Amino acid sequence: MQLKYEYFLFDLDGTLIDTTRIVEKVWEKWCQNVDINYHHIKECCHGVRGKDIIRQFFPEADVYKELKWLEDKEIELSPLANEIFGAKHFLLSLPPMNWGIVTSSTNKVAISKLKACNLPIPRLLISSEDCKRGKPHPEPYLNALKILNIHPSNCLVFEDSDAGIESAYNAGCKVIKVNGNNIHKSRSLISIQDYSFINNNMG
């Protein structure tokens, strides 16, 4: 498969790095702290901003206090993150000005995870603080497209979560689903387990 796109945007968790253990461990511990059933949150904690989850399940909370706890815990566990196979090779093959990351993590957490996995830190990093509305709303990807000053038809997105795919699709981008077998509502071009397929078929 030839990637006939000039620009590329990537989610972070579950897309460039495997952080499933980290994310679920942090949210499970948080639920214990605030006496919320973790099983309700487990279904939606991937790809969605922490502050949006807090507001949904614990509306009376001091959001920024709880978010700070989550941020500190994720940074503490960042060394447990692993690069999804082939991600670094693919990123380094792209012109630095032609790719970026659009994540629901905070900027501080995102950089911590990238450093832990020895992945390049992009010039364009849209984090949870940069948007009024997070995924699945299209705003995060629309913001990235605006900064790049490109039409969505010229940009390919890599995502893993339903929320992220919805966000990218509604921003007008084509999407490749990473690390999953099910193609969300047929809104992904293909589904890949890692970047070996991409790296072996570039050009």
Side-chain angles (χ1 to χ4, degrees), residues 84-101:
I84 290 180
F85 184 75
K88 183 177 181 180
H89 178 83
F90 183 36
L91 294 179
L92 292 177
S93 74
L94 302 174
M97 296 296 295
N98 290 43
W99 71 275
I101 290 175

Side-chain angles (χ1 to χ4, degrees), residues 110-158:
I111 290 176
S112 174
K113 292 173 181 175
L114 288 167
K115 287 181 176 179
C117 294
N118 195 28
L119 291 179
I121 296 173
R123 299 182 186 186
L124 173 62
L125 175 57
I126 302 291
S127 62
S128 64
E129 301 100 322
D130 299 317
C131 308
K132 291 182 179 179
R133 292 161 293 189
K135 302 173 186 179
H137 194 277
E139 182 182 339
Y141 282 103
L142 290 173
N143 286 351
L145 294 169
K146 184 176 181 180
I147 292 171
L148 290 171
N149 192 29
I150 59 171
H151 191 273
S153 63
N154 197 26
C155 181
L156 182 62
V157 171
F158 291 79

Side-chain angles (χ1 to χ4, degrees), residues 1-5 8 90 156 158 176 198 201-203:
M1 177 184 130
Q2 293 187 351
L3 300 180
K4 298 178 180 179
Y5 296 86
F8 301 86
F90 183 36
L156 182 62
F158 291 79
I176 288 181
I198 301 294
N201 290 274
M202 289 194 63

